[in-house]
Amino acid sequence: MQRILIKNGQVVDPANERDGIYDVLLEQGQVAAISENISVDGAEIIDAEGCIVAPGFVDLHCHLREPGQEYKEDVASGTRAAIRGGFTSLVAMPNTEPAIDSEAAVRSMAEIISEKAAARVYPAGAITRGQKGRDLTEMGGMMQAGAVAFTDDGLPVTSSRVMQLALQYSDMLGVPISVHEEDPDLAGDGVVNRGRISTLLGLPAIPTAAESAMVARDLELCREFGGHLHIAHVSTRNSIDLIRKAKDEGLKVTCEVTPHHLTLTEDLVRESNYDTNTKVNPPLRTSTDVEALVNALSEGIVDVIATDHAPHSFDDKDKEYIFADFGISGLETAFSLLHDQLVLKGDITMNRLIAALTVVPATIFDLPGGTLSQGEPADLVILRPQDEWAVNPDDFVSGGKNTPLAGWSLTGRVDTVLVAGRIMMRDGELQC
Ligand SMILES: [Zn+2]
């Protein structure tokens, strides 16, 4: 494999506390050297002056829809969307059709990935068979086949007893259990956050307690039975307060928040005139919640940003608000949205943003990459923080054009992406 030399970029590599102008040399698909003014013979040069050079992003939560729902997305389109967003590693949720709930299912997913994926994809396995919430899957065998975490995401684990057992296996096997926290009785058939907007619009509501009551339960279970509890898509201030307390106590709990919950509020449902692309689960919350999430991200109480990329077909969203599917196609806008809305406004530093997208997710799920240390995989992004672009869902390579950001102008763009030293996108143009 050829040598690539990335010159004069601002290297931001939080794992090594590096932030400055350096050259980066890639050889044999690995990071070979980082220092000032490297010169070597026979290397392809990429000029990164004015750009940020960072580890490729690692997404702990995305839905690639394959097998079974390829009309929404498949591994090829989803991973190309990931590359456009700067993500070089993804954890794929197992709520496919059928669910990834056995060793054989993990193996067949691994085959699809090796045939089609443009980025690294790590399958997550289901906690329960068929994600029905009753019988635990064979986690040990599924891990041997390549599952990196277990989750019934899309659905909560309603049985406390099943959750207890899952955490006990998590403890024994050293694997994270990622939980979608939602009390289904409280959430009912709600479609927006319970509060001012649900009242104004007369839409069925999901109370914040639907999330935080389940967070409280699972923290109690984690305290008593151990395991690594990873709380997916946290969306409320009350959940943050509970997680903060549990972390202070030293429980093995980590959590993620999505780009949309960090930047958008329930007001967008009204302002967009009931655009069903604002319909997401958990729902967009209030500015008080958003502020708590952003502060918690800044402090490290929120460990990582994960997209919960949830692509849907046009028809799935082209319905009355109450009937449309939940979810946002988020991979292609994540970095730009976060940079535009949080970094440029001074709420989060660039260093913290990149850490929450790279080394921290890689570390908590024990995945390769996330750093530019010598010998690590040459998974990199080159970012143009000054570039402004307008979001046009028709340009998405994801099968899901469902974004509430259509027409938004965002500052900050992913320019070039490498996976294992291969250029997958260059100057904003996909090469895969
Ligand atoms: Zn979920």
Coordinates of all heavy atoms in Angstrom, one line a residue, residues 209-288:
A209 N -40.4 11.5 32.3 CA -40.2 10.4 33.3 C -40.2 9.0 32.5 O -39.7 8.0 33.1 CB -41.4 10.4 34.3
A210 N -40.8 9.0 31.3 CA -40.7 7.7 30.5 C -39.3 7.3 30.4 O -39.0 6.1 30.3 CB -41.4 7.9 29.2
E211 N -38.4 8.3 30.2 CA -37.0 8.0 30.1 C -36.3 7.8 31.5 O -35.7 6.8 31.8 CB -36.3 9.1 29.3 CG -34.7 8.9 29.2 CD -34.1 10.0 28.4 OE1 -34.4 10.0 27.2 OE2 -33.3 10.8 28.9
S212 N -36.5 8.9 32.3 CA -35.7 8.9 33.6 C -36.1 7.9 34.6 O -35.2 7.4 35.3 CB -35.7 10.3 34.2 OG -37.0 10.8 34.3
A213 N -37.3 7.4 34.6 CA -37.7 6.4 35.5 C -37.0 5.1 35.1 O -36.5 4.3 36.0 CB -39.2 6.1 35.4
M214 N -36.8 4.8 33.8 CA -36.1 3.6 33.4 C -34.6 3.8 33.7 O -33.9 2.8 34.0 CB -36.3 3.3 31.9 CG -37.7 2.8 31.7 SD -38.0 1.2 32.3 CE -37.7 0.2 30.9
V215 N -34.0 5.0 33.5 CA -32.6 5.2 33.8 C -32.4 4.9 35.3 O -31.4 4.2 35.7 CB -32.2 6.7 33.5 CG1 -30.9 7.0 34.1 CG2 -32.3 6.9 32.0
A216 N -33.3 5.4 36.2 CA -33.2 5.2 37.6 C -33.2 3.7 37.9 O -32.4 3.2 38.7 CB -34.3 5.9 38.3
R217 N -34.1 3.0 37.3 CA -34.2 1.5 37.5 C -32.9 0.8 37.1 O -32.3 0.0 37.9 CB -35.3 0.9 36.7 CG -35.5 -0.6 36.9 CD -36.2 -1.3 35.8 NE -35.4 -1.4 34.5 CZ -35.8 -2.1 33.5 NH1 -36.9 -2.8 33.5 NH2 -35.0 -2.1 32.4
D218 N -32.4 1.2 36.0 CA -31.2 0.4 35.5 C -29.9 0.8 36.3 O -29.0 0.0 36.5 CB -31.0 0.7 34.0 CG -32.0 -0.1 33.2 OD1 -32.7 -1.0 33.7 OD2 -32.3 0.3 32.0
L219 N -29.9 2.0 36.8 CA -28.8 2.4 37.7 C -28.8 1.6 39.0 O -27.8 1.2 39.5 CB -28.8 3.9 37.9 CG -28.4 4.8 36.7 CD1 -28.7 6.3 37.0 CD2 -27.0 4.6 36.2
E220 N -30.0 1.4 39.5 CA -30.2 0.6 40.7 C -29.7 -0.8 40.4 O -29.1 -1.4 41.2 CB -31.7 0.6 41.1 CG -32.2 1.9 41.7 CD -31.4 2.2 43.0 OE1 -31.2 1.4 43.9 OE2 -30.9 3.4 43.0
L221 N -30.1 -1.4 39.3 CA -29.7 -2.7 38.9 C -28.2 -2.8 38.8 O -27.5 -3.8 39.2 CB -30.4 -3.2 37.7 CG -31.9 -3.4 37.8 CD1 -32.6 -3.6 36.4 CD2 -32.2 -4.6 38.7
C222 N -27.6 -1.8 38.1 CA -26.2 -1.8 37.9 C -25.4 -1.7 39.3 O -24.4 -2.3 39.5 CB -25.8 -0.6 37.0 SG -24.1 -0.5 36.5
R223 N -26.0 -0.9 40.2 CA -25.4 -0.7 41.5 C -25.3 -2.1 42.2 O -24.3 -2.5 42.8 CB -26.2 0.3 42.3 CG -25.6 0.5 43.7 CD -26.4 1.5 44.5 NE -26.2 2.8 44.0 CZ -27.2 3.6 43.4 NH1 -28.5 3.1 43.4 NH2 -27.0 4.7 42.9
E224 N -26.4 -2.9 42.1 CA -26.5 -4.1 42.9 C -25.8 -5.3 42.1 O -25.2 -6.1 42.8 CB -28.0 -4.4 43.2 CG -28.1 -5.7 44.0 CD -29.3 -5.7 44.9 OE1 -30.1 -4.8 44.8 OE2 -29.5 -6.8 45.6
F225 N -26.0 -5.3 40.8 CA -25.5 -6.5 40.1 C -24.3 -6.3 39.2 O -23.8 -7.3 38.6 CB -26.7 -7.1 39.3 CG -27.9 -7.5 40.1 CD1 -29.0 -6.7 40.2 CD2 -27.8 -8.6 40.9 CE1 -30.1 -7.0 41.0 CE2 -28.9 -9.0 41.7 CZ -30.0 -8.2 41.8
G226 N -23.8 -5.1 39.1 CA -22.6 -4.8 38.3 C -22.9 -4.7 36.9 O -24.0 -4.5 36.4
G227 N -21.8 -5.0 36.1 CA -22.0 -4.9 34.6 C -21.6 -3.5 34.1 O -21.5 -2.5 34.9
H228 N -21.5 -3.3 32.8 CA -21.3 -2.0 32.2 C -22.6 -1.6 31.5 O -23.0 -2.1 30.5 CB -20.1 -2.2 31.2 CG -19.9 -0.9 30.4 ND1 -18.9 -0.8 29.4 CD2 -20.5 0.3 30.4 CE1 -18.9 0.4 28.9 NE2 -19.9 1.1 29.5
L229 N -23.2 -0.6 32.1 CA -24.4 0.0 31.6 C -24.1 1.2 30.8 O -23.5 2.2 31.2 CB -25.3 0.4 32.8 CG -26.7 1.0 32.5 CD1 -27.6 0.0 31.8 CD2 -27.3 1.6 33.7
H230 N -24.5 1.1 29.5 CA -24.3 2.2 28.6 C -25.7 2.7 28.2 O -26.5 2.0 27.6 CB -23.5 1.8 27.3 CG -23.4 2.9 26.3 ND1 -22.5 3.9 26.5 CD2 -24.1 3.2 25.2 CE1 -22.6 4.8 25.5 NE2 -23.5 4.3 24.7
I231 N -26.0 4.0 28.5 CA -27.3 4.5 28.3 C -27.3 5.3 27.0 O -26.6 6.2 26.8 CB -27.7 5.4 29.5 CG1 -27.7 4.6 30.8 CG2 -29.1 6.0 29.2 CD1 -28.0 5.4 32.0
A232 N -28.1 4.8 26.0 CA -28.2 5.3 24.7 C -29.0 6.6 24.7 O -29.9 6.8 25.6 CB -28.8 4.3 23.7
H233 N -28.8 7.4 23.7 CA -29.6 8.7 23.4 C -30.3 9.3 24.6 O -31.5 9.4 24.6 CB -30.5 8.5 22.2 CG -31.4 7.2 22.3 ND1 -32.2 6.9 23.3 CD2 -31.5 6.2 21.4 CE1 -32.8 5.8 23.0 NE2 -32.4 5.3 21.8
V234 N -29.5 9.7 25.6 CA -30.0 10.4 26.8 C -30.6 11.8 26.3 O -30.0 12.5 25.5 CB -28.9 10.7 27.8 CG1 -29.5 11.6 28.9 CG2 -28.4 9.4 28.3
S235 N -31.8 12.1 26.8 CA -32.4 13.3 26.2 C -32.9 14.3 27.3 O -33.4 15.4 26.9 CB -33.5 13.0 25.3 OG -34.6 12.4 26.0
T236 N -32.9 14.0 28.6 CA -33.5 14.9 29.5 C -32.5 15.3 30.6 O -31.6 14.5 31.0 CB -34.7 14.2 30.2 OG1 -34.3 13.2 31.2 CG2 -35.7 13.6 29.2
R237 N -32.8 16.4 31.2 CA -32.0 16.9 32.4 C -32.1 16.0 33.5 O -31.1 15.7 34.2 CB -32.5 18.3 32.8 CG -31.7 18.9 33.9 CD -32.2 20.3 34.3 NE -33.6 20.2 34.8 CZ -34.2 21.2 35.4 NH1 -33.7 22.3 35.5 NH2 -35.5 21.0 35.9
N238 N -33.3 15.4 33.8 CA -33.4 14.5 34.9 C -32.6 13.2 34.8 O -32.0 12.8 35.8 CB -34.9 14.1 35.1 CG -35.7 15.3 35.5 OD1 -35.2 16.4 35.8 ND2 -37.1 15.2 35.4
S239 N -32.5 12.7 33.6 CA -31.6 11.6 33.3 C -30.2 11.9 33.6 O -29.4 11.2 34.3 CB -31.7 11.1 31.9 OG -33.0 10.7 31.6
I240 N -29.8 13.1 33.2 CA -28.4 13.6 33.4 C -28.1 13.6 34.9 O -27.0 13.2 35.4 CB -28.2 15.0 32.7 CG1 -28.2 14.8 31.2 CG2 -26.9 15.6 33.2 CD1 -27.0 14.0 30.6
D241 N -29.0 14.2 35.7 CA -28.8 14.3 37.1 C -28.6 12.9 37.8 O -27.7 12.7 38.6 CB -30.0 15.0 37.8 CG -30.1 16.5 37.4 OD1 -29.1 17.0 36.9 OD2 -31.2 17.1 37.7
L242 N -29.4 11.9 37.3 CA -29.2 10.6 37.8 C -27.9 10.0 37.4 O -27.2 9.3 38.3 CB -30.4 9.7 37.3 CG -31.8 10.0 37.8 CD1 -32.8 9.3 36.9 CD2 -31.9 9.5 39.3
I243 N -27.5 10.2 36.2 CA -26.2 9.6 35.7 C -25.0 10.3 36.4 O -24.1 9.6 36.8 CB -26.1 9.8 34.2 CG1 -27.2 8.9 33.5 CG2 -24.7 9.4 33.7 CD1 -27.5 9.2 32.0
R244 N -25.1 11.6 36.6 CA -24.1 12.3 37.3 C -23.8 11.7 38.7 O -22.7 11.4 39.1 CB -24.4 13.8 37.5 CG -23.4 14.6 38.1 CD -23.9 16.0 38.5 NE -24.6 16.6 37.4 CZ -23.9 17.3 36.4 NH1 -22.6 17.5 36.5 NH2 -24.6 17.9 35.4
K245 N -24.9 11.4 39.4 CA -24.8 10.9 40.8 C -24.2 9.5 40.7 O -23.4 9.1 41.5 CB -26.2 10.9 41.4 CG -26.3 10.4 42.8 CD -27.6 10.7 43.4 CE -27.8 10.0 44.8 NZ -28.1 8.5 44.5
A246 N -24.7 8.7 39.8 CA -24.1 7.3 39.7 C -22.7 7.3 39.3 O -21.9 6.5 39.9 CB -24.9 6.5 38.6
K247 N -22.2 8.2 38.5 CA -20.8 8.3 38.2 C -20.0 8.8 39.4 O -18.9 8.3 39.6 CB -20.6 9.3 37.0 CG -21.0 8.7 35.7 CD -20.5 9.6 34.5 CE -20.6 8.8 33.2 NZ -19.8 9.4 32.1
D248 N -20.6 9.7 40.1 CA -19.9 10.1 41.4 C -19.6 9.0 42.3 O -18.6 8.9 43.0 CB -20.7 11.2 42.1 CG -20.6 12.6 41.4 OD1 -19.7 12.7 40.5 OD2 -21.4 13.5 41.7
E249 N -20.6 8.0 42.3 CA -20.5 6.9 43.2 C -19.5 5.8 42.6 O -19.2 4.9 43.3 CB -21.8 6.1 43.2 CG -22.8 6.5 44.3 CD -24.0 5.7 44.2 OE1 -24.0 4.5 44.2 OE2 -25.1 6.3 43.9
G250 N -19.1 6.0 41.4 CA -18.2 5.1 40.8 C -18.8 3.9 40.0 O -18.1 2.9 39.7
L251 N -20.1 4.0 39.7 CA -20.7 2.9 39.0 C -20.2 2.8 37.5 O -19.8 3.9 37.0 CB -22.3 3.1 38.9 CG -23.1 3.0 40.1 CD1 -24.6 2.9 39.8 CD2 -22.7 1.9 41.0
K252 N -20.1 1.7 37.0 CA -19.6 1.5 35.6 C -20.8 1.9 34.6 O -21.4 1.0 34.0 CB -19.1 0.1 35.3 CG -18.4 0.1 34.0 CD -17.4 -1.1 33.9 CE -16.6 -1.0 32.6 NZ -15.8 -2.1 32.3
V253 N -21.0 3.2 34.5 CA -22.1 3.7 33.6 C -21.5 4.7 32.6 O -20.6 5.5 33.0 CB -23.2 4.2 34.4 CG1 -22.8 5.3 35.4 CG2 -24.3 4.8 33.5
T254 N -21.8 4.5 31.4 CA -21.4 5.5 30.3 C -22.7 5.9 29.6 O -23.7 5.2 29.7 CB -20.4 4.9 29.3 OG1 -21.0 3.7 28.8 CG2 -19.1 4.6 30.0
C255 N -22.6 7.0 28.9 CA -23.8 7.4 28.1 C -23.5 8.2 26.9 O -22.4 8.7 26.7 CB -24.8 8.1 29.0 SG -24.3 9.8 29.5
E256 N -24.4 8.2 26.0 CA -24.3 8.9 24.7 C -25.4 9.9 24.6 O -26.5 9.7 25.1 CB -24.3 7.9 23.6 CG -25.6 7.3 23.4 CD -25.7 6.2 22.4 OE1 -24.8 5.4 22.3 OE2 -26.8 6.1 21.7
V257 N -25.2 10.9 23.7 CA -26.3 11.8 23.4 C -26.2 12.1 21.9 O -25.1 11.9 21.3 CB -26.2 13.1 24.3 CG1 -24.9 13.8 24.0 CG2 -27.4 14.0 24.0
T258 N -27.3 12.4 21.2 CA -27.3 12.5 19.8 C -27.0 14.0 19.4 O -27.3 14.9 20.1 CB -28.6 12.1 19.1 OG1 -29.6 13.1 19.5 CG2 -29.1 10.7 19.6
P259 N -26.5 14.2 18.1 CA -26.4 15.6 17.7 C -27.7 16.4 17.7 O -27.7 17.5 18.1 CB -25.9 15.4 16.2 CG -25.2 14.1 16.2 CD -26.0 13.2 17.2
H260 N -28.8 15.7 17.4 CA -30.1 16.5 17.4 C -30.6 16.8 18.8 O -31.1 17.9 19.0 CB -31.2 15.7 16.6 CG -31.3 14.3 16.8 ND1 -30.6 13.3 16.1 CD2 -32.2 13.6 17.6 CE1 -31.0 12.1 16.5 NE2 -31.9 12.2 17.4
H261 N -30.4 15.9 19.8 CA -30.8 16.3 21.1 C -29.9 17.4 21.7 O -30.3 18.1 22.7 CB -30.8 15.1 22.0 CG -32.0 14.1 21.7 ND1 -31.8 12.9 21.1 CD2 -33.3 14.3 21.8 CE1 -32.9 12.3 21.0 NE2 -33.9 13.1 21.3
L262 N -28.7 17.5 21.2 CA -27.8 18.6 21.7 C -28.0 19.9 21.1 O -27.5 21.0 21.5 CB -26.3 18.2 21.4 CG -25.7 17.1 22.2 CD1 -24.4 16.6 21.6 CD2 -25.4 17.6 23.6
T263 N -28.8 20.0 20.0 CA -28.9 21.2 19.2 C -30.4 21.7 18.9 O -30.6 22.8 18.6 CB -28.2 21.1 17.9 OG1 -28.7 20.0 17.2 CG2 -26.7 20.9 18.1
L264 N -31.3 20.8 19.0 CA -32.7 21.1 18.5 C -33.6 21.0 19.7 O -33.4 20.2 20.6 CB -33.2 20.2 17.4 CG -32.2 20.0 16.2 CD1 -32.8 19.0 15.2 CD2 -32.0 21.4 15.5
T265 N -34.7 21.8 19.7 CA -35.7 21.7 20.8 C -37.1 21.3 20.2 O -37.3 21.4 18.9 CB -35.9 23.0 21.5 OG1 -36.5 24.0 20.7 CG2 -34.5 23.5 22.1
E266 N -38.0 21.0 21.1 CA -39.4 20.7 20.7 C -40.0 21.8 19.8 O -41.0 21.6 19.1 CB -40.2 20.4 21.9 CG -40.2 21.6 22.9 CD -41.2 21.4 24.1 OE1 -41.7 20.3 24.3 OE2 -41.3 22.3 24.8
D267 N -39.5 23.0 20.0 CA -40.1 24.2 19.3 C -40.0 24.0 17.8 O -40.9 24.5 17.0 CB -39.4 25.5 19.6 CG -39.6 25.9 21.1 OD1 -40.8 25.9 21.5 OD2 -38.6 26.0 21.8
L268 N -39.0 23.2 17.3 CA -38.9 22.9 15.9 C -40.1 22.2 15.3 O -40.4 22.4 14.1 CB -37.6 22.2 15.6 CG -37.1 22.1 14.2 CD1 -36.9 23.5 13.6 CD2 -35.9 21.2 14.1
V269 N -40.8 21.4 16.1 CA -42.0 20.7 15.6 C -43.0 21.7 15.1 O -43.6 21.6 14.1 CB -42.6 19.8 16.7 CG1 -43.8 19.1 16.2 CG2 -41.6 18.8 17.2
R270 N -43.2 22.8 15.9 CA -44.1 23.8 15.6 C -43.6 24.7 14.5 O -44.3 25.0 13.5 CB -44.5 24.7 16.8 CG -45.6 25.7 16.4 CD -46.2 26.2 17.7 NE -45.3 27.2 18.4 CZ -45.7 28.3 18.9 NH1 -47.0 28.7 18.9 NH2 -44.9 29.1 19.5
E271 N -42.3 25.2 14.6 CA -41.7 26.1 13.6 C -41.7 25.5 12.3 O -41.8 26.2 11.3 CB -40.3 26.5 14.1 CG -40.3 27.5 15.3 CD -39.0 27.5 16.0 OE1 -38.0 27.0 15.5 OE2 -38.9 28.1 17.1
S272 N -41.5 24.1 12.2 CA -41.4 23.5 10.9 C -42.8 23.1 10.4 O -42.9 22.4 9.4 CB -40.5 22.2 11.0 OG -41.2 21.2 11.8
N273 N -43.8 23.5 11.1 CA -45.2 23.2 10.7 C -45.4 21.7 10.6 O -45.8 21.2 9.6 CB -45.4 23.9 9.3 CG -46.9 24.0 9.1 OD1 -47.7 23.9 10.0 ND2 -47.3 24.3 7.8
Y274 N -45.1 21.0 11.7 CA -45.3 19.6 11.8 C -44.5 18.7 10.8 O -44.9 17.7 10.3 CB -46.8 19.2 11.6 CG -47.8 19.8 12.6 CD1 -48.3 21.1 12.3 CD2 -48.2 19.1 13.7 CE1 -49.3 21.6 13.2 CE2 -49.1 19.7 14.6 CZ -49.6 20.9 14.3 OH -50.6 21.5 15.1
D275 N -43.3 19.2 10.5 CA -42.4 18.4 9.6 C -42.2 17.1 10.4 O -41.6 17.0 11.5 CB -41.1 19.1 9.4 CG -40.1 18.3 8.6 OD1 -40.4 17.2 8.1 OD2 -39.0 18.8 8.4
T276 N -42.5 15.9 9.7 CA -42.4 14.6 10.4 C -40.9 14.3 10.6 O -40.6 13.3 11.3 CB -43.1 13.5 9.6 OG1 -42.6 13.5 8.3 CG2 -44.6 13.8 9.6
N277 N -40.0 15.0 9.9 CA -38.6 14.7 10.1 C -38.1 15.2 11.5 O -37.0 15.0 11.9 CB -37.7 15.4 9.0 CG -38.0 14.7 7.7 OD1 -38.0 13.5 7.6 ND2 -38.3 15.5 6.6
T278 N -39.0 16.0 12.2 CA -38.6 16.3 13.6 C -39.1 15.2 14.6 O -38.9 15.3 15.8 CB -39.3 17.6 14.0 OG1 -40.7 17.5 13.9 CG2 -38.9 18.8 13.1
K279 N -39.8 14.2 14.0 CA -40.3 13.1 14.9 C -39.2 12.1 15.1 O -38.8 11.4 14.2 CB -41.5 12.5 14.3 CG -42.2 11.4 15.1 CD -43.4 10.9 14.5 CE -44.0 9.7 15.3 NZ -45.2 9.1 14.7
V280 N -38.8 12.0 16.4 CA -37.7 11.1 16.7 C -37.9 10.6 18.2 O -38.7 11.2 18.9 CB -36.4 12.0 16.6 CG1 -36.4 13.1 17.6 CG2 -35.2 11.1 16.8
N281 N -37.3 9.5 18.4 CA -37.5 8.8 19.7 C -36.2 8.6 20.4 O -35.4 7.9 19.8 CB -38.3 7.5 19.6 CG -38.7 6.9 20.9 OD1 -38.6 7.6 21.9 ND2 -39.1 5.7 20.9
P282 N -35.9 9.1 21.6 CA -36.7 10.0 22.4 C -37.0 11.3 21.6 O -36.3 11.7 20.7 CB -35.9 10.3 23.6 CG -34.6 9.9 23.3 CD -34.6 8.8 22.3
P283 N -38.1 12.0 22.0 CA -38.5 13.2 21.3 C -37.6 14.4 21.5 O -36.9 14.4 22.5 CB -39.9 13.5 21.8 CG -39.9 12.9 23.2 CD -39.0 11.7 23.1
L284 N -37.6 15.4 20.7 CA -36.9 16.6 20.9 C -37.4 17.2 22.2 O -38.7 17.2 22.4 CB -37.0 17.6 19.8 CG -36.4 17.1 18.4 CD1 -36.7 18.1 17.3 CD2 -34.9 16.7 18.5
R285 N -36.6 17.7 23.1 CA -37.0 18.2 24.4 C -37.0 19.7 24.5 O -37.0 20.4 23.4 CB -36.1 17.6 25.5 CG -36.1 16.0 25.4 CD -37.4 15.4 25.9 NE -37.2 13.9 26.1 CZ -38.1 13.1 26.5 NH1 -39.3 13.5 26.8 NH2 -37.9 11.8 26.7
T286 N -36.9 20.3 25.7 CA -36.9 21.7 25.9 C -35.5 22.3 25.9 O -34.5 21.6 26.0 CB -37.6 22.1 27.2 OG1 -36.7 21.6 28.3 CG2 -39.0 21.4 27.4
S287 N -35.5 23.6 25.9 CA -34.1 24.3 25.9 C -33.4 24.0 27.2 O -32.2 23.9 27.3 CB -34.3 25.8 25.6 OG -35.2 26.3 26.6
T288 N -34.2 23.8 28.3 CA -33.6 23.4 29.6 C -32.9 22.1 29.5 O -31.7 21.9 30.0 CB -34.7 23.3 30.7 OG1 -35.5 24.5 30.6 CG2 -34.1 23.2 32.1

